[in-house]
Amino acid sequence: MENNDQRYLVQQNKISEGDKKPPVFAKVMRSKEGVFEGVSFIKNKDKATVMTIAQAEEAIAWAKKKKPGAQEYETRIICLGQ
């Protein structure tokens, strides 16, 4: 039986804002079948998607490729308790 270590969040900070603005967190969008469709970034950490490392890496890759202005943000994986 596979152990899915789901305890990671994807956090994003705008580089030019520094510590002035709070970070945003990834909410993963999936189809009814569970297929990854994309990511939206929300302010509410409690409603963010808790993921495995692989899922978090997939979310970051999608955001860097599909989101306009992605280079203006620092996107990283954090542990749930951080």
Side-chain angles (χ1 to χ4, degrees):
M1 189 166 137
E2 188 178 318
N3 182 15
N4 282 338
D5 184 15
Q6 289 189 309
R7 60 182 171 141
Y8 300 97
L9 298 173
V10 174
Q11 175 180 307
Q12 195 174 66
N13 294 78
K14 191 159 188 172
I15 295 168
S16 65
E17 298 292 329
D19 290 334
K20 297 178 204 165
K21 286 183 94 174
V24 292
F25 302 92
K27 180 155 181 75
V28 175
M29 297 173 282
R30 296 194 182 278
S31 69
K32 289 180 182 178
E33 295 80 31
V35 177
F36 178 85
E37 291 185 340
V39 176
S40 61
F41 286 91
I42 59 174
K43 293 179 183 178
N44 190 336
K45 187 176 185 177
D46 296 330
K47 292 185 179 179
T49 305
V50 179
M51 304 171 247
T52 65
I53 284 285
Q55 292 168 332
E57 289 170 349
E58 179 182 34
I60 289 174
W62 184 91
K64 286 183 177 180
K65 189 169 75 171
K66 297 286 187 178
K67 291 278 186 181
Q71 69 277 6
E72 297 175 25
Y73 295 89
E74 175 194 5
T75 307
R76 60 192 170 127
I77 300 170
I78 62 170
C79 238
L80 191 56
Q82 288 183 317

